[in-house]
Amino acid sequence: HNPRSLQRKLRGARTILILCHGNIIRSPFAAHFLAQSLKNKRSVSVYSAGLEAVNGLRAHPNAVSKARSLGFDLGSHRSAPVTEGMLARADLVFGMEMSHLLLLHKRFPRVRGKVFLLSCLAPETPLEISDPIQKDETEFTECLEQIIRALKPIAVALGASDSLNCISA
């Protein structure tokens, strides 16, 4: 996808869905971080789901802790499996890995044209943001920092100020 095309789509987006595998670490962290970044800037709904999520699980404690250190709360998050309705409501959908995009296109062919990798506007970030589940705390922290770096250009394109640069990962 053309980055300029995505940036145009972001400027007009009102609803963004962020996906990962289980919806307990990466996607809820990313959705809450992005929503926090846009607070008082622009009315954009940001929500998350998982391609293989079990309904109702709490966010992983490491994600909750990192979120708290950045000033937002994941304590009330409960996992949700992605649905056709969620995808229909979303102007844009972001996944963490290529396999997420391929699975989405296979299960929900109508999403074509609005599905992107979360890191696609952040060349300094790895293309795929791997699941840190069952990994040590260092790898877990690196994953969440990659998400923050991947979200900064998205947040700016959505209308957040460039002051996001002062948010340290």
Side-chain angles (χ1 to χ4, degrees):
H1 289 285
N2 179 337
R4 288 194 211 304
S5 169
L6 173 56
Q7 288 173 331
R8 263 193 314 278
K9 288 179 181 190
L10 280 163
R11 283 193 290 275
R14 295 286 172 246
T15 306
I16 294 176
L17 173 60
I18 302 177
L19 298 172
C20 68
H21 181 80
N23 192 223
I24 61 168
I25 301 170
R26 295 173 292 172
S27 60
F29 181 86
H32 280 78
F33 180 84
L34 184 57
Q36 179 78 5
S37 301
L38 295 171
K39 196 166 73 177
N40 303 322
K41 303 287 188 255
R42 188 172 137 204
S43 179
V44 178
S45 296
V46 185
Y47 56 105
S48 67
L51 288 157
E52 303 296 336
V54 173
N55 202 33
L57 298 179
R58 293 179 182 275
H60 191 284
N62 288 358
V64 172
S65 174
K66 179 69 172 178
R68 191 176 302 118
S69 76
L70 293 169
F72 63 96
D73 184 14
L74 283 179
S76 63
H77 173 79
R78 298 296 177 271
S79 61
V82 67
T83 65
E84 182 85 47
M86 287 177 183
L87 292 164
R89 280 192 314 273
D91 294 315
L92 290 167
V93 179
F94 290 99
M96 301 288 166
E97 302 171 31
M98 284 302 298
S99 62
H100 298 159
L101 277 56
L102 296 171
L103 188 56
L104 263 178
H105 285 131
K106 184 178 178 183
R107 283 191 199 165
F108 307 99
R110 286 186 275 171
V111 300
R112 291 196 193 284
K114 65 178 180 179
V115 178
F116 300 87
L117 280 173
L118 188 73
S119 61
C120 67
L121 294 178
E124 74 286 354
T125 303
L127 189 58
E128 296 187 298
I129 300 173
S130 300
D131 196 342
I133 198 85
Q134 307 297 335
K135 304 257 173 82
D136 67 29
E137 194 166 336
T138 301
E139 289 177 88
F140 207 102
T141 300
E142 177 56 28
C143 169
L144 299 180
E145 290 173 354
Q146 288 174 6
I147 289 169
I148 291 168
R149 288 192 301 273
L151 283 171
K152 285 181 180 180
I154 291 170
V156 169
L158 284 166
S161 68
D162 290 319
S163 65
L164 280 175
N165 291 328
C166 71
I167 298 174
S168 65

